[in-house]
Amino acid sequence: MGSIKFAIWFLAQALTVAGYSDAVKDVRGNLGADRIINLPYTAVTESVRSLLDGFEVDEFGNTNLGTDLRLSSEAVAALTLNGVEFSDTTEEWIQQFERNFENEAFVCQDSAEACATSADFFLQYQRMDAIHARFDNISASSPLASIDSIGSSYEGRDIKTMFIGSGDKPTVLYFCGIHAREWLPPMFCTHMAETLVADGGHPILEKVKFVIVPLANPDGYEFSHGKRFLCLFVRM
């Protein structure tokens, strides 16, 4: 995950065209009694790991100070009782989540085609249909790229795949969007595809060809955007 941090499970309603519902935006209410802590790396010992094995732990990511975890109040109490050093960063996270919700440009809310053709495509997070539409546009604009599918997801969504390059060369395979809450990799795969076909083709295509799957887990990706237990908001 690196410095990309992932947020809490929200008891929420569906994402609407107008934006996120009030139920989703009630960050403090959805968090309930749970706390978000930063556990220093020096405190992540085998005994602490064993202690936390008895509780539900949601890891948000890592910083240069330690690892960020969402824990129940009982788990926090257990850490305190055992003298484990940590910092309570709950309020900092809540403020960041609320700022993200207030930012109407955080996720593109236009139609899939409008989002796909927007000059600000890479300045916003995109839904599955917009990413797929962008890939279709890339393929239509370059003879180096073609679109196919490796099948359908459990819920029937297309697992769109792009092939870039040709000939008897080694194949580089990129699977993005495997983990539902990681919204950045599908954006990376889209940018990489555009870079590879730009200006008549990247020089690396003389040596290898590419197979790119921008959303290997489209069901999870769409779930993370709006169904119950909305489980995302990244800290930028």
Side-chain angles (χ1 to χ4, degrees):
M1 292 186 188
S3 62
I4 302 173
K5 301 178 177 182
F6 298 93
I8 54 181
W9 292 89
F10 292 125
L11 293 174
Q13 298 173 355
L15 184 68
T16 65
V17 174
Y20 292 93
S21 69
D22 290 339
V24 176
K25 293 179 181 179
D26 183 13
V27 179
R28 194 176 301 277
N30 288 316
L31 182 59
D34 289 357
R35 308 300 294 174
I36 304 171
I37 71 165
N38 183 270
L39 188 65
Y41 296 119
T42 54
V44 185
T45 62
E46 285 304 316
S47 61
V48 170
R49 291 180 186 276
S50 297
L51 177 64
L52 291 178
D53 279 343
F55 301 95
E56 182 178 346
V57 178
D58 189 7
E59 182 177 350
F60 287 11
N62 303 302
T63 70
N64 59 342
L65 300 176
T67 185
D68 290 305
L69 307 172
R70 178 190 64 84
L71 300 174
S72 66
S73 57
E74 292 80 8
V76 173
L79 291 177
T80 302
L81 183 64
N82 285 271
V84 178
E85 176 190 0
F86 64 86
S87 300
D88 190 322
T89 55
T90 305
E91 289 302 318
E92 178 186 348
W93 276 92
I94 288 175
Q95 291 172 16
Q96 180 64 51
F97 296 150
E98 290 176 341
R99 284 196 294 270
N100 286 344
F101 280 124
E102 292 168 1
N103 180 5
E104 295 182 357
F106 190 65
V107 177
C108 186
Q109 301 292 337
D110 295 330
S111 68
E113 189 57 35
C115 291
T117 56
S118 170
D120 294 334
F121 182 86
F122 291 109
L123 298 181
Q124 301 173 288
Y125 286 104
Q126 304 290 342
R127 299 294 295 269
M128 178 195 72
D129 287 342
I131 292 172
H132 282 178
R134 186 85 172 194
F135 266 74
D136 288 338
N137 293 342
I138 295 170
S139 177
S141 66
S142 173
L144 296 172
S146 62
I147 287 287
D148 206 334
S149 173
I150 60 172
S152 298
S153 67
Y154 179 79
E155 295 181 354
R157 294 181 175 90
D158 186 25
I159 304 178
K160 195 171 290 263
T161 307
M162 174 167 281
F163 300 84
I164 300 178
S166 61
D168 186 17
K169 304 169 188 173
T171 300
V172 179
L173 178 61
Y174 271 87
F175 272 91
C176 288
I178 297 174
H179 299 151
R181 296 187 295 172
E182 296 178 10
W183 290 3
L184 191 58
M187 302 299 293
F188 161 77
C189 265
T190 308
H191 188 272
M192 178 175 64
E194 293 191 0
T195 301
L196 287 172
V197 303
D199 301 322
H202 193 281
I204 197 172
L205 295 178
E206 297 176 4
K207 299 180 179 179
V208 295
K209 55 187 177 182
F210 286 79
V211 177
I212 302 173
V213 181
L215 283 168
N217 178 16
D219 296 345
Y221 187 76
E222 284 299 287
F223 182 90
S224 76
H225 272 270
K227 298 220 175 176
R228 286 180 61 82
F229 301 112
L230 181 69
C231 46
L232 185 281
F233 265 99
V234 296
R235 183 182 304 204
M236 303 296 287

